[in-house]
Amino acid sequence: MDKKSERDETITELQTELLANWNVNKLTISPPGYTGPLRKGHLIFDACFESGNLGRVDYISDFEFDLFIRPDTCNPRFRVWFNFTVENIRETQRVIFNIVNFSKTKSLYREGMSPVVKSTSRPKWQRLPPKNVYYYRCPDHRRNYVMSFAFCFDREDDVYQFAYCYPYTYTRLQHYLASLERRNLPYLKRELLGLSVQQRRLDLLTITNSENVRSEKEKKLVFLTARVHPGESPASFVCQGVIDFLVSHHPVAQVLRDHVIFKIVPMLNPDGVYLGNYRCSLMGFDLNRHWQDPSPWAHPTLHAVKQLIVQMSQDPSVTLEFYIDVHSHSTMLNGFMYGNVFEDEERVHRQAVFPRLLCQNAPDFSFSNTSFNRDKVKAGTGRRFLGGLLDDTSYCYTLEVSFYGYMTSACTAAVPYSEEIYMKLGRNVARTFLDYYKLNNLTKDNRPALLHWGYPKVSRMTLLHAQFLQYTILPLGICSTTPSQSVCQAALMWKVSSTRSEFSCKSCLVQPSFFFMEKFYEQRAAEALLPAREKKHQKPFKC
């Protein structure tokens, strides 16, 4: 290829990047040369909304379109997250969308991952069937990797939304935190730690009993952050699961609040989340590489969090024992952790205790995937920097959770994550601190247990009825870890195994108190089972 051709190709590439440097805004795609009125089936694409990302659309045919991800603002290196809407569709219209400019080659799309979709009439996110998703090298795009998925639109009046993974926006977080504030919980405090470059809130939550704060005893402190990488939305669901559990009335949560101070920053990069970036802030910085020397004007949220942690580490009345930074992983399955490497062998073994305990509590967490390293490229991360700053009684981890799913010993294929399963991992993370601090003797309700001779009997008819339906009801105790107004708040539904009578909570895997009364049990059994059986499920999409 001569120099002129190389130059022309370079100019073409630059122009392509410039064209894709902003989100499409109600972009109508009609066949080339068409000048008539807008018709049904001339798709309208839009990504000009919070956390939206779609930079360009190319018409290939009436049923095929090439889609270009907009790079992160001020940083063209990162192109992974997408989130856009499609409207003006024709009923039964079948299309193929090709995402053609991923910045990563290795992807969970090879493992069966698929995009998520919802519509105005079906507002709950669903994963597309893996059989409709293809990830391959494409000769038409210089052998770059392309993810193509087929879809059939089925309702003309609906607006359809497609995303890389379940979105969790800045606005959603603000609504959630405001709802917590309105509950006026005495053990929850919300503070404004700082503002982002675009003046969005950097929230800090403190969860502990007030007596624990005022006590003159040495205080154990756990610090947790999430969403330093804005496109890693599962991290927010995990973080919300931690918060939901810690503010609940569950006996384990009450014990933890009595003995530990939890400080949580649920969104470290609010500008990046709002803008629909995958990895960077508004100004194009990967904040998780700037912990060593964050700028108060370029990285204000990171600077504020670092200042707070340094201040707490110098407070003799507080022992900062854990720092956990929650992320999502785009190439591996399960939840797992990264830790640091130490010269002291005893400290190495102590650092492995928490991941081992979490592996016992969370079926989707993998200790075998957990690793401890000191890679040079990770030197500016929170885990590495704080691991060197804090004393040898402190442990710093990166908690990773897959964008796609998890494997267990009982599974032959990956189980896809849902929003609820991400939150369950968060609840299990919170519960694991009870084991770590050896506070189990202070509560009877730590884990699901086998029903044995010491528990009250229930009538034979009730038990047979429950086993026939595969569920039984424990009447006392409210499932406060489940925020939605569901039957689980009226009575706890526990799955019954006809062979072992092993109980586990259907809704949230928590164990209620075993102080229940047989009469109330029998009265509520039919009442609670009825809405569960009659619950209508959202109609799946035709694909």
Side-chain angles (χ1 to χ4, degrees):
M1 183 183 295
D2 58 20
K3 290 185 178 180
K4 183 178 183 302
S5 299
E6 289 180 357
R7 184 188 64 186
D8 291 342
E9 185 175 342
T10 301
I11 292 174
T12 302
E13 289 177 11
L14 289 172
Q15 289 174 339
T16 299
E17 292 295 335
L18 287 171
L19 285 171
N21 252 353
W22 56 82
N23 284 333
V24 297
N25 183 10
K26 297 295 182 180
L27 175 66
T28 302
I29 303 296
S30 303
Y34 180 81
T35 58
L38 183 66
R39 294 181 177 177
K40 283 288 186 181
H42 292 176
L43 303 185
I44 299 175
F45 293 83
D46 185 38
C48 280
F49 52 85
E50 186 178 0
S51 295
N53 187 311
L54 183 64
R56 175 180 144 197
V57 181
D58 286 353
Y59 175 95
I60 305 301
S61 70
D62 286 345
F63 58 86
E64 186 174 7
F65 304 84
D66 283 353
L67 311 182
F68 292 77
I69 298 171
R70 171 187 56 76
D72 283 8
T73 54
C74 303
N75 193 326
R77 288 180 54 203
F78 301 106
R79 301 179 306 278
V80 175
W81 174 260
F82 60 85
N83 183 12
F84 61 91
T85 64
V86 181
E87 56 186 298
N88 196 46
I89 59 95
R90 187 177 66 253
E91 190 172 348
T92 71
Q93 182 177 0
R94 297 180 182 273
V95 296
I96 296 175
F97 290 145
N98 308 311
I99 310 288
V100 301
N101 67 331
F102 280 113
S103 57
K104 283 189 172 184
T105 56
K106 193 177 179 183
S107 174
L108 283 168
Y109 288 122
R110 293 173 171 175
E111 309 295 330
M113 177 175 162
S114 58
V116 295
V117 60
K118 71 175 184 176
S119 71
T120 45
S121 66
R122 284 154 293 184
K124 183 177 176 59
W125 289 102
Q126 301 179 36
R127 286 193 183 272
L128 293 176
K131 65 180 182 179
N132 291 4
V133 181
Y134 308 90
Y135 189 71
Y136 58 98
R137 283 189 183 273
C138 180
D140 294 337
H141 295 280
R142 296 181 300 173
R143 294 192 58 76
N144 289 334
Y145 277 93
V146 171
M147 187 273 290
S148 299
F149 62 94
F151 191 78
C152 178
F153 297 105
D154 57 355
R155 296 183 183 177
E156 289 193 354
D157 296 330
D158 271 14
V159 177
Y160 293 78
Q161 185 173 349
F162 301 89
Y164 180 77
C165 193
Y166 310 106
Y168 194 110
T169 64
Y170 169 78
T171 298
R172 173 173 178 168
L173 174 67
Q174 293 305 306
H175 288 323
Y176 169 67
L177 297 182
S179 69
L180 289 179
E181 271 194 309
R182 287 194 293 270
R183 292 166 63 181
N184 294 318
L185 301 172
Y187 42 78
L188 171 68
K189 182 181 180 182
R190 179 188 182 189
E191 300 173 75
L192 178 64
L193 187 58
L195 296 172
S196 68
V197 174
Q198 290 188 316
Q199 302 301 292
R200 294 188 177 90
R201 290 181 59 97
L202 176 68
D203 285 289
L204 171 68
L205 299 183
T206 303
I207 303 173
T208 191
N209 284 344
S210 56
E211 295 178 3
N212 194 23
V213 176
R214 294 192 296 266
S215 173
E216 295 181 358
K217 296 181 181 179
E218 189 177 54
K219 306 171 185 67
K220 299 181 178 67
L221 193 143
V222 173
F223 204 105
L224 187 142
T225 59
R227 293 303 283 279
V228 67
H229 291 151
E232 298 176 358
S233 56
S236 283
F237 293 105
V238 174
C239 187
Q240 181 174 326
V242 172
I243 298 169
D244 281 343
F245 185 82
L246 291 177
V247 301
S248 72
H249 298 297
H250 193 278
V252 172
Q254 294 174 11
V255 170
L256 288 174
R257 293 194 299 265
D258 288 339
H259 293 83
V260 185
I261 299 174
F262 293 90
K263 287 190 177 289
I264 301 174
V265 177
M267 194 169 283
L268 254 175
N269 190 350
D271 288 348
V273 172
Y274 189 90
L275 294 168
N277 288 351
Y278 174 67
R279 195 170 182 92
C280 296
S281 64
L282 164 72
M283 302 175 69
F285 295 109
D286 181 347
L287 296 183
N288 206 33
R289 296 296 183 272
H290 290 273
W291 275 89
Q292 292 172 327
D293 189 24
S295 163
W297 66 271
H299 326 112
T301 56
L302 193 64
H303 182 268
V305 172
K306 179 185 173 181
Q307 292 293 102
L308 176 62
I309 292 177
V310 170
Q311 177 186 338
M312 290 188 302
S313 69
Q314 297 170 350
D315 185 347
S317 66
V318 173
T319 302
L320 179 52
E321 300 199 343
F322 283 91
Y323 170 74
I324 300 177
D325 190 21
V326 189
H327 288 252
S328 305
H329 210 282
S330 62
T331 62
M332 294 182 67
L333 296 172
N334 292 73
F336 57 95
M337 278 180 157
Y338 290 122
N340 294 317
V341 175
F342 305 108
E343 301 297 333
D344 182 2
E345 188 174 345
E346 182 185 352
R347 190 179 181 190
V348 171
H349 290 310
R350 291 203 308 268
Q351 184 186 214
V353 171
F354 187 85
R356 287 185 184 277
L357 291 173
L358 180 55
C359 186
Q360 295 174 9
N361 292 339
D364 56 324
F365 184 86
S366 169
F367 184 78
S368 61
N369 286 348
T370 296
S371 64
F372 306 93
N373 59 64
R374 52 158 63 109
D375 296 344
K376 290 183 178 180
V377 295
K378 302 293 181 67
T381 63
R383 167 179 65 88
R384 286 289 305 280
F385 172 76
L386 295 174
L389 174 72
L390 303 175
D391 61 33
D392 59 3
T393 63
S394 303
Y395 299 100
C396 301
Y397 303 94
T398 298
L399 172 61
E400 298 273 4
V401 61
S402 174
F403 272 107
Y404 170 41
Y406 61 96
M407 294 282 294
T408 67
S409 58
C411 297
T412 57
V415 179
Y417 273 110
S418 64
E419 296 178 21
E420 176 58 26
I421 299 176
Y422 282 130
M423 291 186 188
K424 284 180 183 177
L425 176 59
R427 294 196 284 268
N428 285 325
V429 168
R431 294 166 61 90
T432 300
F433 288 106
L434 188 85
D435 299 327
Y436 183 85
Y437 288 117
K438 299 179 181 179
L439 302 171
N440 310 66
N441 60 323
L442 300 180
T443 175
K444 298 178 181 179
D445 299 334
N446 183 26
R447 270 195 246 326
L450 295 181
L451 187 65
H452 55 75
W453 303 115
Y455 291 118
K457 297 179 180 179
V458 295
S459 70
R460 174 180 172 81
M461 183 61 67
T462 301
L463 185 59
L464 289 174
H465 181 240
Q467 287 182 334
F468 176 76
L469 294 168
Q470 291 300 304
Y471 296 101
T472 188
I473 312 303
L474 295 183
L476 292 191
I478 293 178
C479 181
S480 52
T481 62
T482 304
S484 59
Q485 297 296 321
S486 64
V487 66
C488 195
Q489 288 190 350
L492 291 167
M493 304 182 67
W494 288 56
K495 190 172 182 179
V496 176
S497 165
S498 58
T499 56
R500 295 186 301 165
S501 296
E502 182 175 355
F503 284 60
S504 58
C505 177
K506 173 178 181 283
S507 182
C508 62
L509 300 181
V510 300
Q511 181 186 17
S513 173
F514 279 102
F515 297 103
F516 57 87
M517 297 177 294
E518 181 177 350
K519 290 183 180 179
F520 188 81
Y521 179 99
E522 295 187 13
Q523 176 185 352
R524 290 288 177 148
E527 298 175 5
L529 284 169
L530 184 61
R533 286 156 51 189
E534 293 182 349
K535 184 178 179 182
K536 294 182 179 179
H537 295 284
Q538 177 176 286
K539 182 181 178 182
F541 292 91
K542 295 180 180 179
C543 296

